[in-house]
Amino acid sequence: MKSELNKSALAYLDDLYGEYRRLNNIIASTKIELATDYNHEVDENTSGSKSNRISRPQETIMIRYDSSPKLEFYEKVKKGIEDSLLCMTNEQKYIFKLRYDSNDYYDWDTVGDIAGEKFIGKPYSHSGIYKKRYKMLELLGKKIGFC
């Protein structure tokens, strides 16, 4: 049985692709946040004497990284997008670049016009570009375990 992605699932996956250019910054800032979160430490030594615990700040930071659902999510999305790009056709990669990896904002109809001219010599129809969009979003959904 083939499960179809509903409108909200497609919008969610579209938003994840849309974060592609920012993912490295999001991951880096999350790591900085985790590494400098001193409120996360709990001082169990209330007597004022020396603690018998050895301080290992790098180990503490790595444990925070490994136990952060937020960091795990963004790294999973980044890997899913990179894996998706490896599986895409040249046409899909071009569409991805126009829509998600460009300084310009192109809506789907404009992407269909530009990509269609390049690949078939005429603009893709509205439904044609949305079928291509669906396939790209479905690919990401599979890569990140969403569908």
Side-chain angles (χ1 to χ4, degrees), residues 13 38 40 53 60 64 66 73-74 78 81-82 89 97 101 104 107-108 144-145:
L13 292 168
Y38 298 109
H40 193 69
R53 185 178 71 146
T60 302
R64 288 182 191 169
D66 289 343
F73 171 76
Y74 284 119
K78 181 182 176 192
I81 291 172
E82 289 169 348
T89 64
K97 187 169 183 63
D101 195 19
D104 299 316
D107 63 21
W108 280 106
I144 64 170

Side-chain angles (χ1 to χ4, degrees), residues 10 20 24 30 39 43 51-52 55 67 97 100 105 110 122 128 132 138 140 145 147:
L10 290 170
Y20 174 71
N24 286 332
T30 301
N39 294 329
D43 186 7
S51 170
N52 61 357
S55 174
S67 63
K97 187 169 183 63
Y100 305 110
Y105 174 79
T110 304
K122 62 180 183 174
K132 292 180 183 305
E138 182 181 49
L140 176 60
C147 61

Side-chain angles (χ1 to χ4, degrees), residues 54-71:
I54 299 173
S55 174
R56 294 187 179 111
Q58 292 84 2
E59 184 178 317
T60 302
I61 290 169
M62 292 309 296
I63 290 169
R64 288 182 191 169
Y65 289 174
D66 289 343
S67 63
S68 170
K70 179 180 177 181
L71 184 59

Side-chain angles (χ1 to χ4, degrees), residues 81-92:
I81 291 172
E82 289 169 348
D83 290 349
S84 295
L85 285 166
L86 291 173
C87 296
M88 286 182 187
T89 64
N90 287 336
E91 179 185 35
Q92 288 172 321

Side-chain angles (χ1 to χ4, degrees), residues 17-65:
Y17 267 145
E19 292 294 322
Y20 174 71
R21 295 183 77 195
R22 295 183 48 234
L23 279 175
N24 286 332
N25 290 339
I26 292 170
I27 290 169
S29 65
T30 301
K31 285 183 174 182
I32 290 170
E33 181 182 301
L34 291 168
T36 58
D37 182 11
Y38 298 109
N39 294 329
H40 193 69
E41 287 294 316
V42 176
D43 186 7
E44 297 172 0
N45 182 11
T46 57
S47 66
S49 65
K50 287 187 175 183
S51 170
N52 61 357
R53 185 178 71 146
I54 299 173
S55 174
R56 294 187 179 111
Q58 292 84 2
E59 184 178 317
T60 302
I61 290 169
M62 292 309 296
I63 290 169
R64 288 182 191 169
Y65 289 174

Side-chain angles (χ1 to χ4, degrees), residues 5 9-15 17 84 88 100 108 130 132-143 146-147:
L5 293 170
L10 290 170
Y12 176 70
L13 292 168
D14 191 64
D15 287 344
Y17 267 145
S84 295
M88 286 182 187
Y100 305 110
W108 280 106
Y130 273 84
K132 292 180 183 305
R133 170 188 181 254
Y134 184 92
K135 289 295 183 189
M136 292 170 61
L137 297 176
E138 182 181 49
L139 179 60
L140 176 60
K142 288 177 181 176
K143 294 294 180 185
F146 188 75
C147 61

